[in-house]
Amino acid sequence: MTSFRKRTVQKPIPGTRTSPHTAQIITSSGNPYLDVVIGGGLPVGSICLIEEDRFMTHAKVLAKYFLAEGVLSKQEIFLGSLDDIPAEMLRRLPRPLTEVEQREEQMASEQTGETTENGLRIAWRYNDLPLVNSEHATAKIGHHFNLMEQMDSRMLYYASTVIWDDSHKDNWIGDGELSKSSSPSISMEQQPMAEAMGEESAAVETEPEANVEADADIKSLDNNAAATADNTANNTTTVTSSTKTGSQPAVWPHNVFHNTRYGGLLNDIQQQLRDESFITGTKKHLCRVCLTSLGSPLWYDDNFGEDMLKFLTLLMASVRNCNSVCLITMPMHLIAKYDASLVPKIRQLVDYAIELESFAGSERETHPAFKEYSGLLHLHKMSALNTLAVHMPETTDLAFKLRRKKFVIERFHLPPELQESPANAQSAMAADDIMPSPKCGSNVLINSNASASLDF
Amino acid sequence: MATSVLLACGLNEQKLPGFVHISEESNVDGSFLISCILGQRLRISNAGTLLVCLQHHYQHYFNAGMRLGYNTNIFQGKTLNVIDVLSDMASEGLACKWLRTPDGLSLTEQLVEDIRAQVESNYANRNSYTILIDNLSILFNLGASKLQVQQFCQDLASLAKERDNLTVITKLSNSDIYQPTDNNVAKLGQLRIQVVRLKSGVFREVDGKLLIERVLDEGSYACEEARKEVLYKVNDRNVKVFTPGEVGVKV
């Protein structure tokens, strides 16, 4: 008898890797710059809250990155929203860069790096400083995307996607029984095929009443298309998978939430996450849950705060219990106006709370100190999940800029002051008014106690 | 691994005070304290522990414990029992007993019943017993009122008074928002630990501050209290404490 044992290595979940720092399984957020800030990626079982900017442009870009990454990593996707049309959002996901394009981009960035090295520097000592972390993202997981172009519909065709837009709300309100047609799941796999047949499939998601009938229409379209298309087998499987959640029994969430929308959404998420392939330990698949503009005025009612906290608590319980990650975007500036105490309570229920403070529409938009950036990125919370210590980025003074092709997060720095002039002095004074006085770490705690002495 | 922080808090002894309350300010994570205390209790032979998971799953405490050098799975079902409310809610969904209260009991009453049942079945076989509750603010989120939470804590405090060597340790997040409840719960016990952030900003070498208040002698007219303030830093595999002024800014 030999003591030799064959080492069995479990296959990792597609699109994930083990973090060398925390030994957690992490997956990319879709944006390599954000991945670097949060320590390589989002840990499985975590919830990331993106606090929306006032015009809701930048948070949606991050949500699209998150979804696009899921599509490319062959992970299952749940997308829910009341404000946006989820199907439309999925159709407009950014296109992934090919390897050649990535190499070209890298070459271009290296070339610009060389020119700056050879060019005029303010002081030679700056050459010794480390380059901005985010520019050197190790991309073992994650992909690069081009925001200018949309993802090929064939990629979406093979993605397993469930969307929720409360299109079945009439079924919830009423006699207290859940009708069988209340399933919100409309697979995006059907969309390209319907488009291929020259149908206006977008109308399916925008007209809730006609949802069930339209769903049936799409299926018939699919079947017709399947007859003509080459890949008949694929089409059959996607139609089956699109209807799988609809057959499962649902619980009437009347007693739990005052607003039945929360119950409906949570019920659908839980049904999705209870799938055997997401059970922790099996390491088969990962589900990406994305909820955009949660807590927007469309969610308001008399018990908004109570329902929202309960919903997030139950969502946290569900997401942590299986192989899934969740990204939520919330208009926190509106929620703060509704009830300021809700903000810390909500942040307590998520693992990452990131605020995007856009310069659009503010004085800073035209301010010379901020001309390079689109806004500031505030890290309000990073919690240790399944570990003891949390990863801390090198700096919390971060800014973002939305370029034509990508969303970049960088260390925030003020431009060098080359000469003293009355105008510059004025701008510096203006910057002092806007920016908190420099102190350790600064932007996690903005202006809390500027005059106080240091605690340590 | 975590001896220094437990020593600073006065929680490294075999016999703990009857009721200990941990207040956690907004935007501060004090979960490491629960992991540290759990590890310390599990290392004592024949000391029973009941972990009530409201904020983190049991899996989190297992992983955090592994980082601190102990394996909770070895003790589970023996000296460690777990009421994992979060897992129940995840697996049973909206039909979960914690959300539906089928027997006409409120969430907190249901929880007290379950805790009592665990204590009844395990306390007699153990030299000491510790109940860890992480965290009370989740009860608010799940619909419990201030009165119910306060009553819940009062029931647990009376449970600790009824039995020798039984300790209840509670934690409340967002203590600055739930300040009246936080103060009332803290008054039930002899030891209060406040986890607060650094008011002057964020410092790489210090995560926050622990304010420790211990009632030494509760007389008829005056109450003698001891106060201590330490800074802490949670590392990957240990927790370090510093006295204010010890850490300097390295230039």
Side-chain angles (χ1 to χ4, degrees), chain B residues 91-151:
Chain B
S91 54
E92 292 164 35
L94 297 174
C96 174
K97 70 171 181 179
W98 306 111
L99 299 171
R100 307 227 117 216
T101 58
D103 306 327
L105 296 172
S106 66
L107 166 69
T108 48
E109 286 169 343
Q110 182 80 44
L111 205 52
V112 169
E113 287 291 308
D114 280 29
I115 291 169
R116 273 187 189 278
Q118 288 281 354
V119 171
E120 292 299 330
S121 59
N122 296 313
Y123 175 74
N125 311 324
R126 307 288 166 212
N127 293 338
S128 64
Y129 204 77
T130 311
I131 303 167
L132 286 160
I133 296 163
D134 180 30
N135 99 36
L136 296 174
S137 68
I138 299 294
L139 297 175
F140 287 116
N141 296 347
L142 293 174
S145 63
K146 283 179 191 173
L147 195 67
Q148 283 174 333
V149 173
Q150 220 157 296
Q151 186 61 47

Side-chain angles (χ1 to χ4, degrees), chain A residues 392-410:
Chain A
M392 277 302 287
E394 205 172 300
T395 176
T396 49
D397 296 324
L398 298 163
F400 64 88
K401 44 189 166 190
L402 185 61
R403 288 184 181 160
R404 279 193 317 135
K405 290 183 179 179
K406 58 186 177 180
F407 184 93
V408 181
I409 299 167
E410 279 183 1

Side-chain angles (χ1 to χ4, degrees), chain B residues 1-7 32 36-37 43 68 237-239:
Chain B
M1 303 284 181
T3 320
S4 55
V5 70
L6 291 171
L7 198 70
F32 70 93
C36 294
I37 297 166
R43 283 197 181 102
L68 283 171
R237 289 180 182 274
N238 57 33
V239 184

Side-chain angles (χ1 to χ4, degrees), chain A residues 388-389, chain B residues 1-2 36 67-68 233-240:
Chain A
L388 201 63
Chain B
M1 303 284 181
C36 294
R67 295 259 148 192
L68 283 171
K233 169 71 184 168
V234 183
N235 293 316
D236 198 24
R237 289 180 182 274
N238 57 33
V239 184
K240 284 186 177 170

Side-chain angles (χ1 to χ4, degrees), chain B residues 43-107:
Chain B
R43 283 197 181 102
I44 301 170
S45 65
N46 206 27
T49 310
L50 174 65
L51 177 65
V52 182
C53 302
L54 284 163
Q55 189 183 6
H56 290 293
H57 284 288
Y58 165 71
Q59 200 60 31
H60 167 83
Y61 293 105
F62 165 71
N63 287 313
M66 291 302 277
R67 295 259 148 192
L68 283 171
Y70 64 88
N71 185 347
T72 52
N73 281 351
I74 295 170
F75 302 99
Q76 207 192 356
K78 295 167 192 164
T79 56
L80 173 67
N81 298 98
V82 180
I83 299 176
D84 201 339
V85 178
L86 278 192
S87 288
D88 292 347
M89 289 193 297
S91 54
E92 292 164 35
L94 297 174
C96 174
K97 70 171 181 179
W98 306 111
L99 299 171
R100 307 227 117 216
T101 58
D103 306 327
L105 296 172
S106 66
L107 166 69

Side-chain angles (χ1 to χ4, degrees), chain B residues 145-164:
Chain B
S145 63
K146 283 179 191 173
L147 195 67
Q148 283 174 333
V149 173
Q150 220 157 296
Q151 186 61 47
F152 171 73
C153 294
Q154 215 136 17
D155 288 346
L156 293 177
S158 60
L159 200 69
K161 275 178 193 162
E162 284 166 22
R163 290 167 173 82
D164 286 335

Side-chain angles (χ1 to χ4, degrees), chain A residues 54-65:
Chain A
R54 283 174 200 279
F55 297 102
M56 292 196 295
T57 44
H58 302 103
K60 268 181 198 161
V61 173
L62 286 180
K64 281 181 184 173
Y65 270 118

